[in-house]
Amino acid sequence: MKLNCDLGEGFGIYRHTDDAKIMPYIDMANLACGFHASDPVHMLESIRLAKQHRVAIGAHPGYPDLQGFGRRIMHCSADEIEAMLLYQIGALDAMCQAEDTVVSYVKPHGALYNQMMQDIGLFEVIVRTISQYRTDLALVILSVPEYETYEKIARKYEIKLLFELFADRAYADSGRLLNRQERGALIDDKKEVLERVECLLKKGYLESFHGKRLYMKADTLCIHSDTTTAVDLVTVLKDLLAKYRDR
Amino acid sequence: MKLNCDLGEGFGIYRHTDDAKIMPYIDMANLACGFHASDPVHMLESIRLAKQHRVAIGAHPGYPDLQGFGRRIMHCSADEIEAMLLYQIGALDAMCQAEDTVVSYVKPHGALYNQMMQDIGLFEVIVRTISQYRTDLALVILSVPEYETYEKIARKYEIKLLFELFADRAYADSGRLLNRQERGALIDDKKEVLERVECLLKKGYLESFHGKRLYMKADTLCIHSDTTTAVDLVTVLKDLLAKYRDR
Amino acid sequence: MKLNCDLGEGFGIYRHTDDAKIMPYIDMANLACGFHASDPVHMLESIRLAKQHRVAIGAHPGYPDLQGFGRRIMHCSADEIEAMLLYQIGALDAMCQAEDTVVSYVKPHGALYNQMMQDIGLFEVIVRTISQYRTDLALVILSVPEYETYEKIARKYEIKLLFELFADRAYADSGRLLNRQERGALIDDKKEVLERVECLLKKGYLESFHGKRLYMKADTLCIHSDTTTAVDLVTVLKDLLAKYRDR
Amino acid sequence: MKLNCDLGEGFGIYRHTDDAKIMPYIDMANLACGFHASDPVHMLESIRLAKQHRVAIGAHPGYPDLQGFGRRIMHCSADEIEAMLLYQIGALDAMCQAEDTVVSYVKPHGALYNQMMQDIGLFEVIVRTISQYRTDLALVILSVPEYETYEKIARKYEIKLLFELFADRAYADSGRLLNRQERGALIDDKKEVLERVECLLKKGYLESFHGKRLYMKADTLCIHSDTTTAVDLVTVLKDLLAKYRDR
């Protein structure tokens, strides 16, 4: 199981997360592509940092909404989604090529990610668009109980899916994330997060909010980069994952 | 000698030129990449139109200035130029790949083009950046008497240059374009433009404003797409060039 | 009854409508404020044109989405709506003041307008925001059967409402506009449009698609500026309205 | 002598300076207007913070270049400068009015500020534009030996100038700022900065890099908000200025 993290989300003079401190500990860096965050100069810097630490680079495309950080839902047509994905993925990939590396997967950002998980039609547009560009690009999506629905569509377009779990988010018994606004939805106790990950690695399940054992697809674990404990947590998680990976 | 034309320069609901009428008659379409004009949806449409008419596609990157259509000089660092070029070229190239075609050359737009011809350091940054991405991309620049200076640098980075002439612009005896503001700088008489092109094709020179014979490098002829006579002119030019190409 | 029209919706080098030909015939010009269309230079030009023809100037604020021309729904918070309205209205009003004129009303644009008519909470946010800036600004909204609901809220904030009708759109028996996608929703026959307006002026009602007489609040008539017949239609409408105004 | 400071320069989710800690200690807050930094929501927050601490609000307009933070020179025409100033000042002023306060001065930002001090024609465009909007708005410019040239023009348009000095920057004997790149140009020793300010308050001059006494116009002192010592310095300066203001 690999650690993925949203990085390279600064813009111009602004920085959002402490990328230099987090990059050494993760496996996959989801890099913003200039629509919800980042700009060409920052993208190039982020690619160089990822490459230096041998971290796989993913395109992290979002809605064209810098001001709202791609968190505001925008009603876009399939044609608009297709074009904005190719644009963002291609821009990042060209920069990777100039740096002798490559984009190896795609993970939509913010509202686009959430919409993709709620609208199977949008999911198919995204999968199809990626396949039109490069079928060797994987797509990271949320691990959900009905994962086979997604896999069936992805297979049609020859796109590999990577299912991600959140160690610092509580799950309902249904296997869905609790809404952020609900009490207990965010798990900010570092020790508890680590225990949850260890349980997942050792026993193969994540415990729901009400104690149910959830056996979920878990290709990768997403770590939030913008919390105060992010740097602290990521260093410990790396060791934990390495321990189980060696087995 | 090939006809090149700036197309795909609409944005959102706006259109700048009548691309559908011009595309069938040209050889090379310089397509805007979203910084000075165009947007992802329009880029994709423009690629499809070019492909349909078997027109070679060039990336036409500009300064990040939609409002000023990339015509305002912006003081950018070499790092900024490098990053903004890779971003724009890559975005267009990914879209081309999704449409089973490819970007085959680069021609900077507006103020960036003019600055490139006035600052040899900037020219080198542009050539070097292109070579970092793909050395099989040609670069279109203005045909100037001191072309060897440019060729020497381009050879260093293994980039092929294509020198372009303007049939509807007057030249000084020095081989430089007359400033647009000078009287007679723009040649809007269609017959005169055609005579100039025919002279170039038949006798190999362009006549300067004061009647001097200018023997210039001429790989491609640039046709303005935003004049009232653009569509009219381009249809005749195609035939004229075809006539001499067959010889 | 006054004619209102969306104008000043160009951007940079682009123009959307033939403002110089339409402005002389209307009473109220809804001018874009740089978020869905227009830019500072174009806004100033549009103000000067309106002033020259003694046309009342309205702020026409939209979502921050140039690429989508403000037609894409964006999920914005009340705080975001408040701030983006003040920003756009204020920018236009300062320019008006510099030109010795003034913004006299507000009409939201595109998706923001539609959302306002579907979400009474959003309507109240808009009314409240306007009242915080200047209570002498009117707000143009769609004329609907349940107009009293809107008037009640507007009175609370001391804002005057102006109800607008569309002469070139078909109405359901309910007094709601037919969806644009439905057959017959758009009335493009000039003669029919004129007959509808005359009926409204003479007899006080608009005929629904199925022939029902709709007695609607009608402070102003909206004329589309981006149709091929816009210039043609507006000249005739001006005379028609003048005829009944003199009575 | 008053303390002025560039604040409200965040954007979207990004923050640039610790405004809540600096605002209580200054007299004048130069608030970004959405072109080089800030957005409508952040502007409104910044106005509320300034109002809470009874700090005078100034418009801090810049070039339309979020990515470059308004630090890149853009070649704009007089018409473009006029329009972009009115737009930005008006947007901020409308928000101030909605909050029962008002913009009381203008201080251009970054490259626009520097260009204004190098091009007297641009300075006149700026002064004239402000006067077209409100002649009771002051303009903050750099204190220079040839200040009378500027005052003469400002008087013509009935605009009051406020000359600002930088306590943490070294001056040449000519009274001009040393270039930032020169050694010793930036004074980062807090004690030295305070001594310089005290000398200015007590004896009326600032000492140049080579020890010359510079008697400069000094209406206001600019404090950088984005240095590590900003919060620390501003609290001490407030007391120092208060001490001399009471005399």
Side-chain angles (χ1 to χ4, degrees):
Chain A
M1 199 165 55
K2 299 192 164 174
L3 282 186
N4 84 73
C5 194
D6 297 352
L7 292 178
E9 291 191 321
F11 175 71
I13 60 158
Y14 307 112
R15 287 301 170 266
H16 183 48
T17 49
D18 198 345
D19 293 18
K21 287 202 181 137
I22 293 173
M23 196 68 88
Y25 300 102
I26 62 171
D27 304 295
M28 302 161 65
N30 319 321
L31 301 185
C33 304
F35 273 42
H36 77 278
S38 203
D39 62 74
V41 171
H42 187 41
M43 287 164 70
L44 210 38
E45 284 169 1
S46 303
I47 289 167
R48 285 168 185 156
L49 185 66
K51 196 187 164 195
Q52 180 190 333
H53 294 287
R54 299 165 181 265
V55 171
I57 293 168
H60 195 44
Y63 285 125
D65 179 21
L66 268 177
Q67 202 173 293
F69 198 64
R71 288 177 176 161
R72 298 190 286 207
I73 294 173
M74 290 182 75
H75 293 210
C76 296
S77 68
D79 285 351
E80 288 171 331
I81 296 292
E82 177 195 14
M84 75 175 69
L85 285 177
L86 289 173
Y87 189 94
Q88 293 181 70
I89 299 168
L92 188 74
D93 207 12
M95 289 180 160
C96 282
Q97 290 172 50
E99 296 294 319
D100 287 319
T101 180
V102 73
V103 167
S104 52
Y105 65 95
V106 175
K107 174 178 165 182
H109 167 82
L112 181 59
Y113 181 93
N114 294 335
Q115 292 301 98
M116 170 184 76
M117 296 310 302
Q118 280 171 25
D119 174 354
I120 197 79
L122 176 57
F123 170 77
E124 181 156 358
V125 168
I126 293 173
V127 172
R128 191 186 65 218
T129 300
I130 294 173
S131 78
Q132 280 163 6
Y133 178 49
R134 280 176 39 202
T135 48
D136 60 337
L137 285 176
L139 172 63
V140 175
I141 73 168
L142 187 64
S143 184
V144 285
E146 68 278 21
Y147 68 92
E148 287 181 343
T149 311
Y150 296 91
E151 285 211 317
K152 197 175 156 191
I153 293 171
R155 261 196 307 274
K156 185 170 139 195
Y157 296 100
E158 296 174 53
I159 291 297
K160 183 183 174 187
L161 295 183
L162 297 175
F163 293 94
E164 73 173 348
L165 288 176
F166 291 84
D168 57 358
R169 292 286 300 273
Y171 284 77
D173 283 1
S174 66
R176 286 274 175 182
L177 289 170
L178 284 195
N179 192 302
R180 272 172 175 276
Q181 269 67 49
E182 287 184 55
R183 203 159 57 91
L186 301 175
I187 303 167
D188 44 22
D189 180 58
K190 192 179 124 186
K191 192 159 156 285
E192 192 182 341
V193 172
L194 289 173
E195 281 170 7
R196 289 169 66 78
V197 176
E198 186 142 26
C199 175
L200 187 66
L201 292 166
K202 207 189 285 185
K203 307 179 186 162
Y205 68 84
L206 208 57
E207 203 167 77
S208 83
F209 190 65
H210 293 291
K212 187 180 165 190
R213 294 183 179 182
L214 302 168
Y215 293 88
M216 312 274 284
K217 296 273 280 184
D219 299 310
T220 171
L221 202 64
C222 183
I223 299 303
H224 290 107
S225 55
D226 57 353
T227 61
T228 49
T229 56
V231 175
D232 202 23
L233 185 61
V234 84
T235 56
V236 193
L237 275 176
K238 187 191 163 96
D239 289 340
L240 187 60
L241 267 73
K243 201 171 107 185
Y244 285 87
R245 199 173 293 156
D246 296 344
R247 292 186 177 186
Chain B
M1 198 163 56
K2 299 192 163 171
L3 281 186
N4 84 74
C5 194
D6 298 352
L7 292 178
E9 291 190 321
F11 174 72
I13 58 157
Y14 307 114
R15 288 299 170 268
H16 183 47
T17 50
D18 199 344
D19 293 19
K21 288 203 181 136
I22 293 174
M23 196 67 88
Y25 300 103
I26 62 171
D27 305 293
M28 303 160 64
N30 319 320
L31 301 185
C33 303
F35 274 41
H36 78 278
S38 203
D39 62 73
V41 172
H42 187 42
M43 286 165 71
L44 211 38
E45 285 170 0
S46 303
I47 289 168
R48 286 167 185 157
L49 185 66
K51 196 188 163 192
Q52 179 191 335
H53 293 287
R54 299 165 183 264
V55 172
I57 292 168
H60 195 44
Y63 285 125
D65 179 22
L66 269 176
Q67 200 173 295
F69 199 63
R71 288 175 176 162
R72 298 190 287 206
I73 294 172
M74 289 182 75
H75 294 212
C76 295
S77 69
D79 285 350
E80 288 171 332
I81 296 293
E82 177 195 13
M84 74 175 70
L85 286 178
L86 289 173
Y87 189 95
Q88 294 180 70
I89 299 168
L92 188 74
D93 207 12
M95 290 179 159
C96 282
Q97 290 171 51
E99 296 293 321
D100 287 319
T101 178
V102 73
V103 167
S104 53
Y105 65 94
V106 176
K107 174 177 163 182
H109 167 83
L112 181 59
Y113 181 93
N114 294 336
Q115 291 301 98
M116 171 185 75
M117 297 310 301
Q118 278 170 27
D119 174 355
I120 196 78
L122 176 57
F123 170 77
E124 181 156 359
V125 168
I126 293 173
V127 172
R128 193 186 63 219
T129 300
I130 295 173
S131 77
Q132 280 162 6
Y133 178 51
R134 281 177 38 203
T135 49
D136 59 336
L137 285 176
L139 172 63
V140 174
I141 74 168
L142 186 64
S143 184
V144 285
E146 67 278 22
Y147 68 91
E148 287 181 342
T149 310
Y150 295 91
E151 286 211 316
K152 198 176 154 193
I153 292 172
R155 261 196 305 274
K156 188 169 136 194
Y157 295 98
E158 297 175 52
I159 291 298
K160 183 182 174 187
L161 296 183
L162 297 174
F163 293 94
E164 73 173 349
L165 288 176
F166 291 84
D168 57 358
R169 291 286 300 275
Y171 284 77
D173 284 0
S174 67
R176 286 274 175 183
L177 289 170
L178 282 195
N179 192 302
R180 271 171 175 278
Q181 269 67 47
E182 286 184 55
R183 203 158 58 88
L186 301 175
I187 302 166
D188 43 22
D189 180 59
K190 192 179 126 185
K191 190 156 158 287
E192 191 181 342
V193 172
L194 289 173
E195 280 170 7
R196 287 170 66 78
V197 175
E198 185 142 27
C199 174
L200 188 65
L201 292 166
K202 204 188 290 184
K203 305 179 187 161
Y205 67 84
L206 209 59
E207 205 168 76
S208 83
F209 190 67
H210 293 291
K212 189 180 162 188
R213 295 181 178 183
L214 302 169
Y215 292 88
M216 313 275 283
K217 296 272 279 183
D219 299 309
T220 172
L221 203 64
C222 183
I223 298 303
H224 290 105
S225 55
D226 57 352
T227 61
T228 50
T229 56
V231 176
D232 202 23
L233 186 60
V234 84
T235 55
V236 193
L237 274 177
K238 188 191 160 98
D239 289 340
L240 187 60
L241 266 73
K243 198 170 109 185
Y244 284 89
R245 200 173 290 157
D246 297 344
R247 293 188 176 185
Chain C
M1 199 165 56
K2 300 192 163 174
L3 281 185
N4 84 72
C5 194
D6 297 351
L7 293 178
E9 291 191 320
F11 174 72
I13 59 158
Y14 306 112
R15 287 300 171 265
H16 183 47
T17 50
D18 199 346
D19 292 19
K21 287 201 181 138
I22 293 173
M23 196 67 88
Y25 301 103
I26 62 171
D27 304 295
M28 302 161 64
N30 319 320
L31 301 185
C33 303
F35 274 42
H36 77 277
S38 202
D39 62 74
V41 171
H42 187 42
M43 286 165 71
L44 211 39
E45 285 169 1
S46 304
I47 289 167
R48 286 168 184 155
L49 185 67
K51 198 189 162 192
Q52 180 191 332
H53 294 286
R54 298 165 183 266
V55 172
I57 292 168
H60 195 44
Y63 284 126
D65 179 22
L66 268 176
Q67 202 173 294
F69 199 64
R71 288 176 176 162
R72 298 190 286 207
I73 294 173
M74 290 181 74
H75 293 212
C76 295
S77 68
D79 285 351
E80 287 171 333
I81 297 292
E82 177 196 14
M84 76 175 67
L85 285 177
L86 289 173
Y87 190 94
Q88 293 180 70
I89 300 168
L92 189 74
D93 207 12
M95 289 180 161
C96 282
Q97 289 172 51
E99 296 294 319
D100 286 319
T101 179
V102 73
V103 167
S104 51
Y105 65 94
V106 175
K107 174 177 164 182
H109 167 83
L112 181 58
Y113 181 93
N114 294 336
Q115 291 301 97
M116 171 185 73
M117 296 311 301
Q118 279 172 26
D119 174 355
I120 197 78
L122 176 58
F123 170 77
E124 181 156 358
V125 169
I126 292 173
V127 172
R128 192 186 65 218
T129 300
I130 294 173
S131 78
Q132 280 163 5
Y133 177 50
R134 283 175 38 202
T135 49
D136 60 336
L137 285 176
L139 172 64
V140 175
I141 73 168
L142 187 64
S143 185
V144 285
E146 68 279 23
Y147 69 91
E148 288 181 342
T149 311
Y150 295 92
E151 286 211 317
K152 199 176 152 192
I153 293 172
R155 261 196 306 274
K156 186 169 136 195
Y157 296 99
E158 297 174 52
I159 291 297
K160 184 183 174 187
L161 295 182
L162 297 174
F163 293 94
E164 72 173 350
L165 288 175
F166 291 84
D168 55 359
R169 292 285 300 274
Y171 284 76
D173 284 0
S174 67
R176 287 274 175 183
L177 288 170
L178 282 195
N179 192 303
R180 271 173 175 277
Q181 269 67 49
E182 287 184 54
R183 204 158 58 89
L186 300 175
I187 303 166
D188 44 21
D189 180 58
K190 193 179 125 186
K191 190 157 156 288
E192 191 182 344
V193 172
L194 290 173
E195 280 170 7
R196 289 169 65 78
V197 176
E198 187 143 25
C199 174
L200 186 66
L201 292 166
K202 206 188 286 182
K203 308 179 186 161
Y205 67 83
L206 209 59
E207 203 167 77
S208 83
F209 190 66
H210 293 291
K212 188 180 165 191
R213 292 180 182 186
L214 302 168
Y215 293 88
M216 312 274 283
K217 296 273 280 183
D219 299 309
T220 172
L221 202 65
C222 183
I223 298 303
H224 289 107
S225 54
D226 56 353
T227 61
T228 49
T229 56
V231 176
D232 202 22
L233 185 61
V234 85
T235 57
V236 194
L237 275 176
K238 187 191 162 96
D239 289 341
L240 187 59
L241 267 73
K243 201 171 107 187
Y244 285 87
R245 200 173 291 158
D246 297 344
R247 295 189 175 183
Chain D
M1 198 163 59
K2 299 192 163 172
L3 281 185
N4 84 74
C5 194
D6 298 352
L7 292 177
E9 292 190 321
F11 175 72
I13 59 158
Y14 307 112
R15 288 301 170 267
H16 184 47
T17 51
D18 199 344
D19 293 18
K21 288 202 181 139
I22 293 174
M23 197 67 89
Y25 301 103
I26 62 171
D27 304 294
M28 304 161 63
N30 319 320
L31 300 185
C33 303
F35 273 42
H36 77 278
S38 205
D39 62 75
V41 171
H42 188 42
M43 286 165 71
L44 211 39
E45 285 170 359
S46 303
I47 289 167
R48 286 167 186 158
L49 185 66
K51 197 189 163 193
Q52 180 190 333
H53 294 287
R54 299 165 182 267
V55 172
I57 292 168
H60 196 43
Y63 285 124
D65 179 23
L66 269 176
Q67 201 173 296
F69 199 65
R71 288 176 176 160
R72 297 190 287 206
I73 294 173
M74 290 182 74
H75 293 211
C76 295
S77 68
D79 285 351
E80 288 171 331
I81 296 292
E82 177 195 15
M84 75 174 70
L85 285 177
L86 289 172
Y87 189 94
Q88 294 180 70
I89 299 169
L92 188 74
D93 207 11
M95 290 180 160
C96 282
Q97 289 171 52
E99 296 293 320
D100 287 319
T101 180
V102 73
V103 166
S104 53
Y105 65 95
V106 175
K107 174 177 163 180
H109 168 83
L112 181 58
Y113 181 93
N114 294 336
Q115 291 302 98
M116 170 185 76
M117 297 311 301
Q118 279 171 25
D119 174 354
I120 197 77
L122 176 57
F123 170 78
E124 182 157 358
V125 168
I126 293 172
V127 172
R128 192 186 64 219
T129 300
I130 295 172
S131 77
Q132 281 163 6
Y133 178 50
R134 281 176 40 202
T135 49
D136 59 336
L137 284 176
L139 172 64
V140 175
I141 73 169
L142 187 64
S143 184
V144 285
E146 68 277 22
Y147 68 92
E148 288 182 340
T149 311
Y150 295 91
E151 286 212 314
K152 199 175 154 191
I153 293 171
R155 260 196 305 275
K156 187 169 138 195
Y157 295 99
E158 296 175 53
I159 291 298
K160 183 182 172 188
L161 296 182
L162 296 175
F163 294 94
E164 74 173 350
L165 287 176
F166 291 84
D168 57 358
R169 292 284 301 271
Y171 283 78
D173 284 0
S174 67
R176 286 274 176 183
L177 288 170
L178 283 194
N179 191 301
R180 270 171 176 277
Q181 269 67 47
E182 287 184 54
R183 202 157 59 89
L186 301 175
I187 303 167
D188 44 22
D189 180 57
K190 193 179 124 186
K191 192 157 156 285
E192 192 181 342
V193 172
L194 289 173
E195 281 170 5
R196 288 169 65 81
V197 175
E198 186 142 25
C199 174
L200 187 65
L201 292 166
K202 204 188 289 184
K203 307 180 186 161
Y205 67 84
L206 209 59
E207 204 168 76
S208 83
F209 191 66
H210 293 292
K212 189 181 164 189
R213 295 181 178 182
L214 302 168
Y215 292 88
M216 311 275 283
K217 296 273 278 183
D219 298 310
T220 172
L221 203 63
C222 183
I223 299 302
H224 290 105
S225 55
D226 57 353
T227 62
T228 49
T229 56
V231 176
D232 202 23
L233 186 61
V234 84
T235 57
V236 193
L237 275 176
K238 187 191 162 97
D239 289 339
L240 187 60
L241 266 72
K243 198 170 110 186
Y244 285 88
R245 201 173 290 158
D246 297 343
R247 296 190 173 183

